[in-house]
Amino acid sequence: MKIWSISNQKGGVGKTTSVVSLGGLLAAQGHRVLLVDLDPHGSLTSYFGQDPDGLDRSLYHLFFEQRWRNVDYIRDTLKPTSLDNVAMLPATTSLATLERQVSGQDGMGLVLARSLAQLWDDYDYALLDTPPILGVLLVNALAACQQLVIPTQTEHLALKGLERMVHTLKMVMKSQKRELPYTIVPTLFDRRTSASLTSLKEMRRTYQGSLWDEAIPVDTRLRDASHQGIFPHQLDAETRGVRAYRHLLSHLHKGES
Ligand code: ADP
Ligand code: MG
């Protein structure tokens, strides 16, 4: 199983949209895909019509009573999406209390990695939608994944968030004693605004080696798909946003080997 974490400590930068778009395109290539919602807001969970306040099982529950050891429990926690070969491990809002409940306990940073290891033969890819704060959930994601995708909105304030994210990443990598390749992905790019153009230039200057050399454009079809609870390519496979995510996917595939 290949595990990619889609992370940024800033909200509203296109993390969930990237998880859904890339996941859908991987599925269209014939892969079996698991989408994991680590965000207590549960936007990914809601995207596919599940209520993060109403579910009685979620990622949260795997942290207790060693349920991550129980593959049947994990499989029963998964929810379907609008594609047969894509499942979702949902979030519940209780994830917001996880930090307080498990902090300081041994092994809590590895619950997701261990849960995914149980599903190793079930899926080809797992995409992790992470919360915007550095805490036990982001640590779990970074410990589980093999590469990191950092969506970054092309506007000035987002660059600060990016700086913080890269700093966090380096800190966590140091404590986990490993290297994690990462790709910065400019999102919500609007070529008509100078804010988009200047911040893209700035990103190119600062993050040259790790920056994807294209950008995800603003595309309202991506939002339309989210309102219908379907993958963007199911709504329109040739819309600009989907085409850009297809390019991004082939770029990420190249980095896999
Ligand atoms: P995050 O998960 O980082 O908080 P989202 O993926 O939820 O960000 O995106 C925030 C909002 O912007 C959502 O309403 C989403 O539909 C919209 N959005 C994301 N990417 C695009 C895009 N490329 N074009 C238009 N709208 C987008
Ligand atoms: Mg989100």
Side-chain angles (χ1 to χ4, degrees):
M1 195 197 297
K2 307 241 167 71
I3 305 172
W4 300 350
S5 182
I6 319 297
S7 308
N8 191 322
Q9 283 166 280
K10 199 169 180 317
V13 298
K15 290 185 294 293
T16 302
T17 303
S18 298
V19 166
V20 173
S21 302
L22 292 170
L25 292 171
L26 282 165
Q29 293 176 341
H31 299 294
R32 299 164 303 166
V33 180
L34 178 65
L35 308 179
V36 182
D37 195 353
L38 290 93
D39 191 339
H41 289 127
S43 339
L44 177 66
T45 301
S46 311
Y47 190 113
F48 292 108
Q50 303 292 333
D51 176 9
D53 281 313
L55 292 172
D56 54 6
R57 283 182 184 202
S58 79
L59 169 64
Y60 171 82
H61 301 85
L62 303 184
F63 281 80
F64 302 94
E65 296 165 23
Q66 304 215 337
R67 294 196 185 101
W68 51 267
R69 284 180 187 276
N70 182 344
V71 68
D72 295 324
Y73 188 96
I74 302 173
R75 286 191 185 126
D76 286 345
T77 305
L78 305 183
K79 293 290 180 191
T81 68
S82 59
L83 284 173
D84 283 343
N85 51 344
V86 187
M88 169 176 68
L89 177 54
T92 41
T93 44
S94 51
L95 276 174
T97 66
L98 190 66
E99 195 76 45
R100 189 154 36 84
Q101 293 179 321
V102 307
S103 78
Q105 289 179 35
D106 256 9
M108 285 297 126
L110 292 173
V111 169
L112 180 63
R114 288 170 170 163
S115 304
L116 293 177
Q118 302 273 19
L119 303 175
W120 215 254
D121 296 326
D122 297 2
Y123 297 96
D124 305 305
Y125 283 88
L127 303 189
L128 316 180
D129 188 1
T130 59
I133 37 168
L134 172 61
V136 69
L137 287 161
L138 186 55
V139 166
N140 265 272
L142 295 178
C145 75
Q146 300 131 10
Q147 72 163 315
L148 188 71
V149 175
I150 309 179
T152 304
Q153 189 175 349
T154 44
E155 50 119 42
H156 184 67
L157 278 178
L159 292 179
K160 279 273 159 232
L162 176 59
E163 224 171 274
R164 214 162 32 240
M165 184 66 221
V166 171
H167 176 73
T168 297
L169 177 64
K170 287 187 173 151
M171 245 166 41
V172 175
M173 287 303 90
K174 206 166 158 193
S175 75
Q176 294 179 355
K177 295 189 174 58
R178 64 191 197 116
E179 283 289 318
L180 197 57
Y182 63 93
T183 306
I184 297 165
V185 175
T187 56
L188 290 153
F189 180 70
D190 183 350
R191 69 175 75 251
R192 295 164 309 177
T193 68
S194 62
S196 265
L197 291 167
T198 12
S199 55
L200 189 59
K201 243 186 240 161
E202 173 94 29
M203 274 188 227
R204 292 220 163 107
R205 216 176 13 244
T206 320
Y207 297 99
Q208 233 173 18
S210 3
L211 186 73
W212 178 45
D213 59 11
E214 297 178 44
I216 305 293
V218 170
D219 179 352
T220 54
R221 299 293 275 166
L222 296 175
R223 205 168 293 151
D224 296 343
S226 79
H227 292 155
Q228 297 181 34
I230 57 174
F231 291 91
H233 78 273
Q234 291 182 294
L235 183 65
D236 183 346
E238 287 311 322
T239 190
R240 288 179 330 131
V242 171
R243 240 184 284 146
Y245 274 113
R246 205 176 284 121
H247 286 190
L248 174 60
L249 184 56
S250 48
H251 175 79
L252 295 172
H253 277 320
K254 275 185 225 148
E256 276 178 333
S257 48

